[in-house]
Amino acid sequence: MYKVLVVDDDPEIRDVVHIFLRNEGFRVFEAEDGLQALHTLNSEAVDLIILDVMMPNLDGIKACFKIRETSNIPIIMLSAKGEDIDKITGLTTGADDYLAKPFNPLELIARVKAQLRRQKLEGGSNGKSVSNSGIIEINDLIIDKSRHIVMVRSKEVSLTPLEFSILELMASHRGHVFNVDKIYQSVWKEDKFLSDNTIMVHIRNIREKIEDNPREPRYIKTVWGVGYKVE
């Protein structure tokens, strides 16, 4: 039975999410803020976290930073703010997905299942890839698939598991153009949610980490109107 931690200062939202998760067979833990969430994680091995952004004591952004110091557990962030800048902030902290309030509980459940399927395919909660061992070298960029490490100019770059999977996918097929749907299907093992621009945000985050000038990328190129490729 999968365990999910729901972190939100609104008890009504926690109740609704709890009911839908429980009806799908999940065991659910609740926390009112980031501090309670961290305390729960010290005593319970949960499989996924649903984390609100705006909370008292310790907000979702700071809590996500703390969690990512020690764990690659999937995190879905919730926020009443739907602007792109808020999504970028959430995903930059290490969250795997983002859903704006108000949301359809059925969509949230679908995203929870997608993240858990992806995690299982990648080999469990440690976030390590189970892809064939090998090293990809593209100029100063080195991707060690077996050790799940990315180096740029001999310096290790910290990528989230999803960012690593997206980069590995495109780097393994240099010159091939991947549209957003194909990236989503290949990495999430799921058809893309039509209203979701998560891929764009992850690509932007990867560029910020591996490119000298993200506005003029050397590695991840945009093919306008089509998608992205690694050259």
Side-chain angles (χ1 to χ4, degrees):
M1 178 185 294
Y2 284 114
K3 301 176 182 179
V4 178
L5 174 60
V6 180
V7 190
D8 198 303
D9 61 330
D10 188 331
E12 293 185 2
I13 291 178
R14 293 201 310 272
D15 287 346
V16 169
V17 175
H18 192 139
I19 290 171
F20 274 84
L21 287 170
R22 186 182 61 201
N23 288 343
E24 292 292 328
F26 295 103
R27 184 180 177 188
V28 184
F29 299 90
E30 296 185 19
E32 296 181 357
D33 56 41
L35 290 177
Q36 285 191 11
L38 295 176
H39 179 74
T40 300
L41 291 173
N42 285 332
S43 58
E44 297 289 344
V46 304
D47 299 291
L48 181 142
I49 303 171
I50 298 172
L51 182 64
D52 187 33
V53 172
M54 300 300 293
M55 295 182 296
N57 299 321
L58 186 68
D59 65 34
I61 300 295
K62 294 177 182 177
C64 189
F65 270 123
K66 293 293 294 182
I67 293 167
R68 281 290 175 257
E69 290 177 0
T70 58
S71 173
N72 282 330
I73 182 173
I75 297 175
I76 299 176
M77 299 200 80
L78 304 177
S79 175
K81 299 179 180 180
E83 299 298 326
D84 281 346
I85 187 62
D86 299 295
K87 178 174 292 189
I88 292 167
T89 300
L91 294 176
T92 301
T93 64
D96 298 282
D97 204 353
Y98 181 106
L99 195 58
K101 298 178 182 179
F103 56 86
N104 184 333
L106 293 177
E107 181 179 359
L108 176 60
I109 297 301
R111 290 174 183 245
V112 167
K113 291 180 177 179
Q115 289 296 330
L116 291 172
R117 278 195 294 271
R118 179 189 62 79
Q119 181 194 45
K120 184 177 181 180
L121 289 169
E122 290 185 351
S125 60
N126 62 3
K128 299 297 183 182
S129 171
V130 295
S131 59
N132 293 332
S133 62
I135 294 177
I136 302 171
E137 293 189 49
I138 305 173
N139 299 323
D140 294 329
L141 174 67
I142 297 176
I143 302 169
D144 187 332
K145 296 193 292 182
S146 62
R147 295 194 298 156
H148 220 259
I149 291 175
V150 174
M151 307 282 290
V152 179
R153 293 181 299 282
S154 301
K155 181 179 180 181
E156 184 172 346
V157 177
S158 178
L159 299 184
T160 68
L162 274 175
E163 290 168 357
F164 183 92
S165 296
I166 293 170
L167 179 61
E168 179 190 358
L169 171 68
M170 293 192 293
S172 298
H173 301 83
R174 289 182 66 179
H176 181 84
V177 180
F178 288 87
N179 62 27
V180 170
D181 289 346
K182 185 61 177 177
I183 295 174
Y184 206 100
Q185 291 164 5
S186 299
V187 175
W188 276 258
K189 314 300 180 184
E190 189 90 1
D191 288 336
K192 185 180 75 69
F193 294 98
L194 296 179
S195 61
D196 197 308
N197 67 349
T198 301
I199 300 295
M200 179 189 70
V201 178
H202 280 301
I203 293 291
R204 187 179 304 179
N205 290 341
I206 296 170
R207 283 173 170 163
E208 289 287 342
K209 295 176 180 181
I210 70 171
E211 303 282 2
D212 291 328
N213 182 359
R215 294 180 179 274
E216 297 180 2
R218 296 174 57 202
Y219 301 111
I220 301 180
K221 302 287 189 177
T222 298
V223 181
W224 295 107
V226 182
Y228 305 94
K229 67 176 179 178
V230 166
E231 293 186 339

